[in-house]
Amino acid sequence: MSLTQIKAKITGTGMYVPPKVVSNFDLEKIMDTSDEWIRQRSGIETRHQVEDQGTADLAYEAALKAFESAQCSAKDIDLIILATLSADHMFPGSSALLQARLGLETTPSMDLRAQCSGFLYSLSVAKSFIESGAYKRILVVGAETHSPILDYTTRGRDVAVLFGDGAGAVIVEASPDATSQIGKVILHSQGQFADRLWVERPGTRGGSGKWLTQDHLAEGKQYPYMEGRYVYKHAVERLQEVVKEVLETEGLTIADIDCFLFHQANIRINEKVAELLHIPLEKCPSNIQKYGNCSAASIPMLLDEMVRSGRVKRGDKLLMAAFGAGFTWAGSVVRF
Ligand code: COA
């Protein structure tokens, strides 16, 4: 295969969520919220939470499923890319912990921080490495352990009820034919809005002694802050734009797409995007009801569920799109 002919494809998928399930009714017992408020505003009914696992542990379980599905094993992997906003430690990256758990000696591994768009950013990196001939088989994982960094009191309720823990993984390899390939991944970011959705502390900004102070803790700066309505508005606009952009790039229309795999942040965001772009809702599957927003893990988790349930088949055209903190957003058509 000559360099210009190499295309990258997804050869296997996997997902994992920790066993503990937390319902909206469970949250009612620990903060001033209601099942009705959460379901109406977001579509979420339950989410999974870790008890003693970390992000690399969730990633490990999802990776094993993806190896099985791609009929390969950890030792066949040339590179690991792990997308997360909730790493086990500040450093090193969770990808290094994952590499060790997989029993690998010196296989390269990297974390990619693009928040809820992290999976699509990682897919773009994997595609480029495969198509340049640098690597033959890449493990891409999106994994999040949000629950330890959420404020499960009434103060943090606007954010805490929305997020869950989970991991999704894919194997990316060279494709011998054009029927299965990852199309161009369109990437965007707009850092001017960083403070509309962020965890400010711990952080290096401000110099020595400002990493994490008692004042920061008292103000709750170690928890995510989100301007919900602002994020909602931008998400609806940017997702519409990127869907149009990828369709134009690929010379396709909405009708050509078999399945739209949108980031699972809020069912209302995706329903609004579908309405405005005239996408039939039956082409927009969702699993946010069960898992909440799993940030970088949400698209690979949804993909795995759709593949295993038979709703996504080989040759299907899948349009993936995500929006998240940064702000970052991204989209791609994947011929599965
Ligand atoms: N339970 C009950 N009430 C809550 C609550 C909760 N968990 N969280 C907030 N509220 C309250 C607010 O305090 C507010 O009360 P007030 O009117 O007395 O001030 C009220 O509910 C309405 O809040 P509002 O912000 O108007 O709700 P909303 O309709 O905008 O919905 C979000 C809030 C967060 C669901 C919505 O803005 C959203 O989906 N934003 C995007 C979130 C997202 O997807 N983020 C991730 C992107 S990757």
Side-chain angles (χ1 to χ4, degrees), residues 15-16 30 36 56 67 144 167 170-171 189 200 219 267 278:
M15 70 161 273
Y16 174 79
I30 55 171
E36 193 191 358
F67 294 150
E144 303 288 2
V170 300
I171 309 297
S189 74
E200 193 179 350
E219 289 165 34
I267 205 153
H278 308 292

Side-chain angles (χ1 to χ4, degrees), residues 33 37 41 116 157-158 161 226 228-229 232 265-266 269 323:
T33 191
W37 192 97
R41 297 289 205 293
C116 298
R157 65 181 180 173
D158 61 324
V161 301
M226 176 173 74
R229 289 195 167 194
Y232 178 92
N266 182 325
I269 293 178
F323 176 90

Side-chain angles (χ1 to χ4, degrees), residues 11-139:
T11 56
T13 66
M15 70 161 273
Y16 174 79
V17 285
K20 184 181 168 192
V21 180
V22 176
S23 70
N24 295 343
F25 298 104
D26 294 325
L27 294 179
E28 281 181 4
K29 294 179 198 142
I30 55 171
M31 63 173 80
D32 181 10
T33 191
S34 68
D35 171 62
E36 193 191 358
W37 192 97
I38 302 169
R39 266 189 301 112
Q40 270 182 6
R41 297 289 205 293
S42 70
I44 299 165
E45 293 165 22
T46 58
R47 73 283 294 139
H48 289 244
Q49 274 182 9
V50 293
E51 288 178 282
D52 55 9
Q53 294 164 296
T55 299
D57 300 319
L58 308 191
Y60 171 78
E61 300 293 344
L64 294 188
K65 293 273 171 30
F67 294 150
E68 201 182 297
S69 134
Q71 297 178 333
C72 68
S73 66
K75 65 176 175 19
D76 302 317
I77 295 299
D78 303 320
L79 172 70
I80 297 168
I81 308 174
L82 194 157
T84 187
L85 62 74
S86 50
D88 297 65
H89 307 289
M90 186 68 188
F91 72 85
S94 290
S95 57
L97 308 187
L98 172 61
Q99 192 256 21
R101 270 215 70 181
L102 289 171
L104 298 171
E105 282 289 330
T106 60
T107 305
S109 60
M110 61 169 94
D111 280 31
L112 198 150
R113 294 178 59 172
Q115 300 65 250
C116 298
S117 312
F119 175 73
L120 290 178
Y121 268 71
S122 301
L123 208 57
S124 167
V125 175
K127 170 182 160 73
S128 303
F129 272 130
I130 295 289
E131 294 183 357
S132 72
Y135 295 112
K136 288 200 164 50
R137 193 177 282 115
I138 300 176
L139 167 65

Side-chain angles (χ1 to χ4, degrees), residues 41-43 162 232 263-271 288:
R41 297 289 205 293
S42 70
L162 300 176
Y232 178 92
H263 168 50
Q264 303 287 293
N266 182 325
I267 205 153
R268 288 190 319 167
I269 293 178
N270 295 350
E271 285 176 357
I288 190 170

